Amino acid sequence: MLPIQGVGLGLRRELLAPLQQGEQGIDFIEVAPENWIPFGGRLQRQFAEVAAQYPLICHGLSLSIAGPDPLDLVFLNQLKQFFRQHQVRLYSEHLSYCSGQGHLYDLMPVPFCAEAVDYLVPRIRQVQDVLEQELVLENISYYDTPASTLSELEFLGEVLERADCGLLLDVNNVYVNSVNHSYDASAFLRALPTQRIRYCHVAGHLRQSADLLIDTHGSDVNDTVWALLAEAYAVHGVKPTLLERDFNLPPFADLMTEVEQIRQIQRQASRLSSGAA
């Protein structure tokens, strides 16, 4: 059994009020721990109230697992305390880096090569040892592939297997990368290791041009990504899935419409799977 089930929503401060009311259409919430660890007072009380009502998972922003600096053990122990305090069921991060003698405030691409795999594996294992739980890594969107000798798929598979960690399958990122780097999104999706997938993300993106998509999390999910999510369920089984929306937040009812669309795709995939069985 996975530690979460169903459909989730990323927590933003603007969503605290409706979520405090115990919205019944949401099965879990996801938070960036860095956005909540520093705060006390009223904001922390509101967060604690929401976190007590829903299964909680964390999606980090600043671990910088592929970065050149040593891992921040003080930060890791802060995470560990936060996870225990709020009974966090799962922790995911980006297969990327965001620091190098200071924060870069962006997700930087990692070279797809054997040397990068060798560098990442002991760092991932160290994080898992300190936290005493699995680290789940997200396939990121990227716009360049510096010094790469492996495909994205080969690189991802090597890291997951050798580090013995989980995968956060971002379906939107698969589609964005497939357009930007001219590969078959369906073939990529089908080749992923089912046993490593812990949950999925879907989000919106910006079409800059015919061959350039920008991962923004600032718009509605489009039809192609919805179809790719349905394919992911058909291939890998129905996985817990989170709707990401980081800015340009619409009315809460509109967010819930997309949440319900995820649920409908899950139901349809479950029916098809039962029929096939």
Side-chain angles (χ1 to χ4, degrees), residues 84-126:
R84 289 180 173 176
Q85 178 183 356
H86 296 291
Q87 300 180 340
V88 171
R89 301 189 180 194
L90 182 150
Y91 172 50
S92 66
E93 251 285 2
H94 304 84
L95 185 51
S96 178
Y97 69 100
C98 57
S99 63
Q101 299 183 351
H103 280 278
L104 302 172
Y105 301 102
D106 207 348
L107 297 176
M108 307 303 291
V110 181
F112 300 146
C113 62
E115 293 83 0
V117 176
D118 290 341
Y119 180 72
L120 279 160
V121 167
R123 288 169 65 89
I124 295 168
R125 288 186 174 273
Q126 183 181 1

Side-chain angles (χ1 to χ4, degrees), residues 44-69:
Q44 187 59 232
R45 288 193 298 273
Q46 287 179 303
F47 171 73
E49 184 177 335
V50 170
Q53 294 186 59
Y54 303 90
L56 179 65
I57 64 174
C58 283
H59 183 50
L61 302 172
S62 58
L63 179 63
S64 203
I65 192 65
D69 298 330

Side-chain angles (χ1 to χ4, degrees), residues 114-143:
E115 293 83 0
V117 176
D118 290 341
Y119 180 72
L120 279 160
V121 167
R123 288 169 65 89
I124 295 168
R125 288 186 174 273
Q126 183 181 1
V127 170
Q128 295 182 140
D129 287 345
V130 172
L131 296 179
E132 299 181 86
Q133 69 181 76
E134 182 182 57
L135 176 62
V136 179
L137 291 171
E138 178 187 12
N139 57 299
I140 69 161
S141 57
Y142 59 93
Y143 304 94

Side-chain angles (χ1 to χ4, degrees), residues 25-42:
I26 295 170
D27 299 308
F28 64 93
I29 60 171
E30 179 192 81
V31 303
E34 297 90 335
N35 289 343
W36 300 97
I37 287 174
F39 296 105
R42 180 177 60 85

